[in-house]
C-alpha cells in the first residue's frame, strides 16, 4: 500500500507510554530487542496505518492484533463500563485477564460510549484520521447510533470498514446473535468431527473466530490494496460461517457433483491410512500420517509389516483407508511396544511422518518451536515477564514485533483525545456526559 496512514494534514499519534517491547520477528533469529516504549520500526510493513478496533470476542480483535503485530497503530475502543469481555475470559492472575494480554498486545486503549452524542462525535473525529475500522456489532447497531457506513465514509472517504458478524450483514439469519460455536456447527465442521458412533464434536477453543480473524486481516489488506488504485474506501462484510466453510475443503463440490456426504471417521481419514493417534509404551501418544504412498510404504517397513505393501489394496490412499483396521493394528501394536522417544527416533531415521501429541507444557519446551522463536517473552508493567505466541510469521526484511502486551482498560484515553485536539475542558465535558 503506497500511503497507509492518516488523511492529508493530520499526524499519526505516537506511543509515548513505556511498556517494554519484545524482539522483532525476523528470519533467521536472533532478534535484537527494541528499546522500551518505541513505536513501530520504520521497516515494519504496516507502519503509518491506523486501525480502530471496536470489536469484541474474538475474530475482529484478533484481526486487529495481527495488523498491529506488523506495525499498524491500533486503538482499541471499549465501552467505559463494559470492556471487551476477553479481559475476563479464561484464567487470570492477580485479577488481570491473561487472554487479553495476548489479544490486546500492540494496542492503545480508549473508552468511548458510542451511544452518547459526545462519544459519537469523538469516534467520527477519530475515524477521519484512520485507515481501518473493525467492528462486530449486530447489523444495524452502528446505524442506530448514526455511525454507519454513510456517516463514517462521509467523515473519511478512504476508510475501510470491516464488519465481522456471525451471519453477515443481510439474509434471514443476519440479526441473530452469532458466535464461533454456531459457525462450527453450521459450516459442517462439527458434523465431520468426532467418532462415527459419537455425537458431533465442537472444538474446546475459538477455532471459527481464529480462522475468521485471519480471514478478516486478509480482507482488510485486500481492501487497502484496492484503495491504493481507486483512492476510495469500502466495506468488508465478514461472516463467521464462511471462513469456517472454506476450511473444510471441497465438501460442497463433492456433494454437488457426486452427492457425496463425508461422514465422521474420528482420527482416521477417508483418503489415506494409516492415519491415527497411537499410544506408546510409556503412556504418551503420537500421530502418524501417510498422505504420500512412499511414506506409507516406509511405515510398513518400519513396523515390520512389509508384506502389507504387496496387497492389491495398498496401492492407493483410498483403498488403504478401507483397510484401516488392519493397518492400525500393525502400526499400533509396534508403537505400543516402544517409548515415545524411541518411536520418534525410529520414524525420523526411516523418514516417515510422525509427531508427538503435545499439550501446552510440551509446546513450551519443544526444540522446533524454540528454534523458530514461536513463543516469546514480553515484559509487562502489570505482570512482569510473560510468555505468549510470537507474531505469526517471519519476514526477512520487514519483521513484525510485539511492542507491549494488552494494556489496562482506557489507559490511553486522555492521550488519544488530546492528540485529536480535544482540550482538557472538552474531555471533562465528555466524562460528565458519560461518553468516556
Amino acid at each position: 500500500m503506497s500511503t497507509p496512514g492518516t488523511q492529508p494534514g493530520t499526524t499519526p499519534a505516537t506511543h509515548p507510554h513505556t511498556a517494554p517491547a519484545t524482539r522483532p520477528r525476523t528470519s533467521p533469529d536472533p532478534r535484537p530487542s527494541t528499546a522500551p516504549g518505541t513505536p513501530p520500526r520504520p521497516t515494519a510493513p504496516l507502519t503509518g496505518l491506523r486501525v480502530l478496533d471496536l470489536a469484541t470476542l474474538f475474530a475482529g480483535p484478533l484481526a486487529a492484533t495481527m495488523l498491529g503485530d506488523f506495525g499498524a497503530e491500533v486503538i482499541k475502543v471499549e465501552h467505559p463500563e463494559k470492556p471487551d469481555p476477553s479481559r475476563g475470559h479464561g484464567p487470570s492472575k492477580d485479577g488481570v485477564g491473561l487472554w487479553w494480554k495476548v489479544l490486546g498486545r500492540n494496542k492503545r486503549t480508549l473508552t468511548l460510549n458510542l451511544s452518547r452524542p459526545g462519544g459519537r462525535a469523538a469516534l467520527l473525529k477519530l475515524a477521519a484520521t484512520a485507515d481501518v475500522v473493525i467492528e462486530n456489532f449486530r447489523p444495524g447497531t452502528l446505524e442506530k447510533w448514526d455511525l454507519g457506513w454513510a456517516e463514517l465514509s462521509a467523515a473519511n472517504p478512504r476508510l475501510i470498514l470491516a464488519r465481522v458478524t456471525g451471519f453477515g450483514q443481510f439474509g434471514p439469519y443476519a440479526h441473530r446473535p452469532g458466535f464461533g460455536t454456531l459457525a462450527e456447527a453450521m459450516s459442517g465442521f462439527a458434523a465431520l468431527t468426532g467418532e462415527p458412533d459419537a455425537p458431533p464434536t465442537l472444538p474446546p477453543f475459538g477455532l471459527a473466530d481464529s480462522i475468521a480473524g485471519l480471514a478478516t486481516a486478509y480482507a482488510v489488506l485486500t481492501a487497502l490494496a484496492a484503495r491504493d488504485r481507486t483512492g476510495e474506501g469500502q466495506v468488508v462484510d465478514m461472516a463467521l460461517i464462511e471462513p469456517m466453510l472454506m476450511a473444510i475443503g471441497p465438501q460442497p463440490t463433492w456433494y454437488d457433483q457426486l452427492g457425496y456426504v463425508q461422514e465422521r471417521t474420528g482420527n482416521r481419514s477417508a483418503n489415506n491410512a494409516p492415519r491415527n493417534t497411537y499410544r506408546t509404551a510409556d503412556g504418551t501418544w503420537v500421530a502418524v500420517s501417510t498422505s504420500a504412498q512412499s511414506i506409507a510404504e516406509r511405515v510398513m517397513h518400519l513396523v515390520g509389516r512389509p508384506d502389507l505393501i504387496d496387497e492389491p489394496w495398498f496401492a492407493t490412499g483410498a483403498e488403504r483407508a478401507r483397510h484401516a483396521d488392519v493397518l492400525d493394528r500393525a502400526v499400533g501394536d509396534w508403537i505400543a511396544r516402544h517409548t515415545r522417544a524411541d518411536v520418534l527416533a525410529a520414524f525420523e531415521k526411516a523418514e516417515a511422518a510422525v509427531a508427538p501429541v503435545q499439550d501446552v507444557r510440551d509446546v513450551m519446551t519443544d526444540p522446533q518451536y524454540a528454534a523458530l522463536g514461536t513463543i516469546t517473552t514480553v515484559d509487562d508493567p502489570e505482570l512482569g515477564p510473560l510468555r505468549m505466541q510470537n507474531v505469526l510469521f517471519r519476514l526477512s526484511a520487514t519483521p513484525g514485533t510485539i511492542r507491549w502486551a494488552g494494556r489496562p482498560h482506557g489507559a490511553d484515553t486522555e492521550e488519544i483525545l488530546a492528540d485529536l485536539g480535544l482540550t482538557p475542558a472538552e474531555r471533562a465535558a465528555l466524562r460528565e456526559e458519560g461518553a468516556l
Side-chain angles (χ1 to χ4, degrees), residues 1 4-7 46 48-55 60 63-64 67-68 72-77 123 126-135 149 152 156-164 216-225 227 233-236:
M1 288 145 296
T6 57
Q7 299 301 297
L46 300 183
L49 195 76
R50 175 174 275 187
V51 178
L52 308 184
D53 174 8
L54 278 58
L67 299 173
E73 179 205 359
V74 181
I75 298 175
K76 177 72 176 181
V77 181
L123 192 280
L126 192 58
T129 73
D131 298 278
V132 180
V133 171
I134 301 175
E135 63 97 358
W149 177 238
L152 289 171
N156 182 354
R158 290 172 54 82
L159 189 69
I160 305 300
L161 174 61
R163 317 195 77 167
V164 186
T216 301
Y218 162 53
V220 165
L221 294 176
T222 302
L224 288 168
R227 188 184 73 174
Q234 60 182 300
V235 177
V236 172

Side-chain angles (χ1 to χ4, degrees), residues 40-341:
R41 303 191 318 167
T43 56
L46 300 183
T47 297
L49 195 76
R50 175 174 275 187
V51 178
L52 308 184
D53 174 8
L54 278 58
T56 59
L57 290 179
F58 285 100
L62 181 59
T65 301
M66 292 177 179
L67 299 173
D69 283 351
F70 284 90
E73 179 205 359
V74 181
I75 298 175
K76 177 72 176 181
V77 181
E78 299 173 89
H79 191 282
E81 299 174 1
K82 302 173 184 176
D84 188 328
S86 68
R87 290 182 178 273
H89 212 80
S92 62
K93 181 181 179 182
D94 300 333
V96 178
L98 298 177
W99 202 329
W100 167 251
K101 286 297 178 183
V102 180
L103 194 65
R105 70 194 195 190
N106 292 335
K107 300 179 183 182
R108 295 197 295 160
T109 60
L110 165 72
T111 59
L112 283 180
N113 186 339
L114 302 182
S115 67
R116 300 293 174 89
R120 173 187 179 275
L123 192 280
L124 285 175
K125 192 167 187 177
L126 192 58
T129 73
D131 298 278
V132 180
V133 171
I134 301 175
E135 63 97 358
N136 70 337
F137 300 105
R138 285 201 215 179
T141 301
L142 283 184
E143 285 74 10
K144 179 179 66 177
W145 298 331
D146 293 326
L147 285 171
W149 177 238
E151 292 81 9
L152 289 171
S153 61
N156 182 354
R158 290 172 54 82
L159 189 69
I160 305 300
L161 174 61
R163 317 195 77 167
V164 186
T165 58
F167 306 106
Q169 294 295 310
F170 55 91
Y173 303 163
H175 291 276
R176 293 181 181 179
F179 298 98
T181 296
L182 308 187
E184 289 148 8
M186 281 187 59
S187 64
F189 172 84
L192 291 169
T193 307
E195 296 298 328
D197 56 351
T201 301
L202 295 166
F205 59 93
L207 178 62
D209 278 278
S210 297
I211 295 173
L214 286 163
T216 301
Y218 162 53
V220 165
L221 294 176
T222 302
L224 288 168
R227 188 184 73 174
D228 279 351
R229 295 198 307 272
T230 68
E232 297 180 354
Q234 60 182 300
V235 177
V236 172
D237 180 4
M238 179 63 68
L240 290 181
I241 58 174
E242 291 183 307
M244 199 68 220
L245 180 60
M246 180 64 74
I248 67 169
Q251 303 288 332
T253 304
W254 283 345
Y255 179 74
D256 174 67
Q257 294 296 302
L258 302 172
Y260 173 71
V261 179
Q262 183 174 333
E263 298 179 352
R264 290 192 294 283
T265 57
N267 290 329
R268 289 179 173 177
S269 168
N271 302 309
N272 65 79
R275 191 264 197 182
N276 214 324
T277 57
Y278 305 94
R279 191 178 181 91
T280 64
D282 51 352
T284 61
W285 294 82
V286 296
V288 172
S289 176
T290 57
S291 296
Q293 181 70 21
S294 60
I295 298 294
E297 293 175 5
R298 290 173 197 166
V299 171
M300 291 302 102
H301 281 288
L302 172 62
V303 302
R305 292 299 307 273
D307 57 295
L308 293 176
I309 299 172
D310 297 327
E311 294 287 347
W313 49 260
F314 198 88
T316 69
E319 284 298 316
R320 293 200 312 274
R322 294 186 181 96
H323 294 79
D325 287 342
V326 174
L327 296 171
D328 274 345
R329 278 196 302 272
V331 175
D333 289 349
W334 185 90
I335 288 176
R337 298 193 300 269
H338 298 80
T339 66
R340 183 168 77 172

Side-chain angles (χ1 to χ4, degrees), residues 7-38:
Q7 299 301 297
T10 64
T11 303
T14 57
H15 310 276
H17 60 76
T18 57
T22 187
R23 293 169 293 179
R25 182 78 151 158
T26 59
S27 179
D29 262 3
R31 299 162 295 172
S33 296
T34 55
T38 53

